[in-house]
Amino acid sequence: MTDTVAVADWQAWQRSWDRQQEWYLPDREERFRVMLDTVEAVVGPEPRILDLACGTGSISDRALRRFPGATSTGVDLDPALLTIARGHFAAEPRAEFVTADLRDPGWTERLPHRAYDAVLTATALHWLGSDELRALYGRIAGVVREGGVFLNADHMPDPATPRLNAADHAYQEARRTRAKAAGTQDWADWWRTAARDETLAAPVAERFAIFGNPADGPDHANGVAEAFQPVAWHADTLRAAGFGEARAVWCSPSDAMVLGLK
């Protein structure tokens, strides 16, 4: 009975994380669908996946449900989100998680496999500055097998469309205001709730020591944005890193998903 309750608690935390992220990203499930459609098209229905900056394992969760023959390695530095991920996937032998800092040049040495069919990430790498992201793309190219695929979905505004950008920003702000008034948690609210939870209090405190307390800084889906580069920058940087093809495979007015094909 105790085990059942524990599993249900981790599942509840996973769901609450998804709801909080959807407050910022109402088309989040669509981008996950396109991401996994692309994985299947390029490398087939039994991929070995590297879930980069995995958080609670949202990508792994959807990939393993869609692909029974898939395996996934999640990598993150956040001890609180990794605690939820490890709890949520405790009974799933196809998933494993690694604690690593993607800014560390040696992070790939912590991986259980030397090469992956697909490296996937979403709403995470904007934590990095442009130079850090350029270096990371080079290291990612080293773990994607020949013929494999890298997909990064994130905020990638186009500076060539300032009026559209402003209109979309205003629309999204109004939508979020309505949702928050209806009780939806934002990023800072979610972390305040997690910090009060008896099971998560210690890893959340550790997380705050590493990244700072979200309630103390700008209110954004994943903290302070550093590398909000346009799609063309990402595609050019991926090609320079060693990917044979690179382009956008999905976009909204403010976000996009870029692909690098090895």
Side-chain angles (χ1 to χ4, degrees):
M1 182 67 173
T2 302
D3 289 344
T4 301
V5 172
V7 169
D9 286 345
W10 293 125
Q11 291 173 340
W13 277 111
Q14 176 75 264
R15 289 192 298 270
S16 75
W17 175 262
D18 282 343
R19 286 194 299 270
Q20 175 262 127
Q21 289 286 283
E22 288 164 1
W23 185 71
Y24 294 93
L25 306 165
D27 48 17
R28 187 167 178 254
E29 291 300 327
E30 179 185 346
R31 71 184 69 190
F32 285 151
R33 178 189 60 77
V34 174
M35 177 179 282
L36 297 181
D37 283 352
T38 305
V39 169
E40 185 169 5
V42 175
V43 300
E46 297 184 356
R48 175 186 288 172
I49 292 169
L50 178 59
D51 185 353
L52 206 63
C54 64
T56 64
S58 296
I59 291 174
S60 294
D61 184 54
R62 286 153 181 80
L64 296 181
R65 281 191 275 119
R66 172 164 171 167
F67 304 128
T71 60
S72 181
T73 302
V75 177
D76 209 300
L77 183 61
D78 191 314
L81 299 185
L82 282 174
T83 295
I84 295 172
R86 289 179 171 123
H88 180 67
F89 291 93
E92 177 51 82
R94 297 177 297 154
E96 55 190 323
F97 295 91
V98 173
T99 301
D101 187 342
L102 298 179
R103 296 167 297 183
D104 177 0
W107 68 268
T108 59
E109 297 171 10
R110 295 175 173 264
L111 300 176
H113 307 289
R114 296 188 63 180
Y116 289 82
D117 300 310
V119 178
L120 311 176
T121 188
T123 327
L125 299 188
H126 62 256
W127 275 92
L128 304 175
S130 298
D131 289 342
E132 292 174 322
L133 187 54
R134 187 178 291 108
L136 178 62
Y137 277 176
R139 296 184 187 110
I140 291 170
V143 297
V144 177
R145 70 162 173 82
E146 289 299 319
V149 65
F150 168 64
L151 289 157
N152 175 20
D154 212 332
H155 188 55
M156 299 180 189
D158 188 340
T161 57
R163 288 183 297 164
L164 173 61
N165 298 347
D168 181 64
H169 178 76
Y171 172 79
Q172 296 299 342
E173 283 293 310
R175 177 189 59 77
R176 284 192 287 267
T177 297
R178 292 192 299 271
K180 191 169 173 59
T184 302
Q185 287 185 317
D186 65 10
W187 171 258
D189 289 339
W190 189 91
W191 281 107
R192 280 190 284 266
T193 301
R196 293 192 296 267
D197 182 81
E198 182 178 350
T199 306
L200 282 175
V204 168
E206 186 181 352
R207 191 262 181 209
F208 288 174
I210 297 171
F211 298 107
N213 187 330
D216 296 335
D219 181 18
H220 184 270
N222 276 328
V224 179
E226 293 291 342
F228 282 171
Q229 297 285 4
V231 169
W233 182 93
H234 289 274
D236 290 344
T237 304
L238 287 170
R239 283 189 287 266
F243 287 90
E245 298 179 14
R247 53 161 284 193
V249 292
W250 175 91
C251 71
S252 73
S254 60
D255 289 35
M257 180 158 51
V258 292
L259 166 149
L261 183 61
K262 195 72 181 292

